[in-house]
Amino acid sequence: MKTKLSLVSAAILSASLTLVPAVSQAALPQVFEGQTMPSLAPMLEQTTPAVVSVAVSGTHVSKQRVPDVFRYFFGPNAPREQVQEQPFRGLGSGVIIDADKGYIVTNNHVIDGADEIKIGLHDGREVEAKLIGTDSESDIALLQIEAKNLTAIKAADSDKLRVGDFAVAIGNPFGLGQTVTSGIVSALGRSGLGIEMLENFIQTDAAINSGNSGGALVNLRGELIGINTAIVAPGGGNVGIGFAIPANMVHALVQQIIEHGEVRRGVLGISGRDLDNQLAQGFGLDTQHGGFVNEVLADSAAEKAGIKAGDIIVSVNGRKIKSFQELRAKVATLGAGAKVELGIIRDGDEKTVEVTLGEASQTTAAAGEVHPQLSGAKLENADKGVEITELEQGSPAALSGLQKGDLIVGVNRSPIKDLKQLRERLKEQDGAAALKILRGRTQLYLVLR
């Protein structure tokens, strides 16, 4: 049977549901032999007000070339392209993490491309949200609302989770309204699924369906342990395999977005692979968990800390890791400049090293992360500026006049040499910004508003 991985935002306008009559609550005993029946209700009464619904709407713009035969009939002034706008709506979930400032965490794929974001609170209020920042590689977005009497959720230390711990998922599946399901932590450190660029998922069998994206996965104390993100869905529905982004990872990313307006990834400067059984036997090791270092880049954070090719990294800040992918996700999440203690095995001996992470030199970016009017383009550092390497037809970037192969060399009168400078120059502009473009031998300006 073919397995299908699915993000669980409800970009859903309707759903066909089979309703099964429920057992009457009155038929269930509340007291048995003088003892009160166990219940999650007290915990949920404190926790569910922190989980919200996220309703988004926007417009997909597409542009199609008008066939020459039609242009022949309508004359030389006939349009070369036809622009079509297709409205869309979607539903997902979110979690209030700061009641005073109105911060809400959800998935990036829930709000991606939205022109309007509305939050449905547990008490029935509906308020408009502002997008503070996103990270597409980890699928996290931070929103903010202005409202009083909010309830925030407390975060747990997700590094202390164990397989078998109870887990409760709270969200808004299929637009039905807030729904609670329960299960256990089925696995930790799941990666290599191809869902996101950075993967270090909690796996759970708590039922997760479309619309649960961005909702909360909590422990029995009502503390946030993860943000629900994806499911394995061979038939399009829940089969008991869901994935959540760990709370510690979410916290680190959100703090960077709040402080810098973006995520500044940390980097070790190594290449490597998972430690498998064959490698472990070759090195005479008992463990089969960790990241094997193939190469250490010159002048990198790893080289400065004394890490060498052949080392096996087995822990980050005292917490064991299972794979090289988990190591990569943790390091990138901690951010540039963070001090990290790595546990390594070298020549059979265990030791710890402290590393100050470097900053990942961003060489490519989705242009929508740099400026909304550049959405639909892919940017890449070039020798003398930033090149448009990909461009979607009908996208805001295409409608702005950009073309594939254009080289951005300046913003207004300030030259730029890379993505970092382009981002900084655009952030400095309160109003319109003019991009200086080199197109072949032609120089021109395009105005972004």
Side-chain angles (χ1 to χ4, degrees), residues 356-434:
T356 300
L357 300 179
E359 183 173 359
S361 57
Q362 189 179 25
T363 58
T364 63
E369 299 175 4
V370 178
H371 191 283
Q373 206 172 331
L374 297 180
S375 296
K378 184 176 180 181
L379 307 178
E380 186 169 337
N381 285 342
D383 290 339
K384 298 180 180 180
V386 177
E387 183 180 356
I388 309 295
T389 57
E390 295 180 17
L391 188 66
E392 297 177 11
Q393 285 190 345
S395 65
L399 295 176
S400 297
L402 285 169
Q403 296 181 10
K404 184 178 178 180
D406 282 354
L407 189 67
I408 304 172
V409 295
V411 177
N412 295 340
R413 296 183 178 276
S414 301
I416 63 104
K417 63 179 182 179
D418 55 25
L419 274 167
K420 184 178 180 180
Q421 285 192 353
L422 174 62
R423 193 189 299 266
E424 290 172 351
R425 296 291 185 274
L426 289 175
K427 280 188 175 181
E428 293 169 358
Q429 307 302 316
D430 293 330

Side-chain angles (χ1 to χ4, degrees), residues 72-94:
Y72 173 79
F73 284 113
F74 290 104
N77 293 327
R80 293 180 176 272
E81 294 177 316
Q82 182 182 19
V83 177
Q84 294 182 333
E85 296 184 352
Q86 181 65 46
F88 73 89
R89 291 183 295 162
L91 295 171
S93 305

Side-chain angles (χ1 to χ4, degrees), residues 198-211:
L198 296 176
E199 297 183 344
N200 180 29
F201 292 120
I202 301 166
Q203 182 181 324
T204 180
D205 66 347
I208 296 174
N209 288 286
S210 292

Side-chain angles (χ1 to χ4, degrees), residues 297-316:
L297 302 181
D299 200 36
S300 65
E303 184 186 58
K304 293 173 182 176
I307 295 174
K308 300 179 180 179
D311 285 350
I312 299 160
I313 301 176
V314 294
S315 68
V316 177

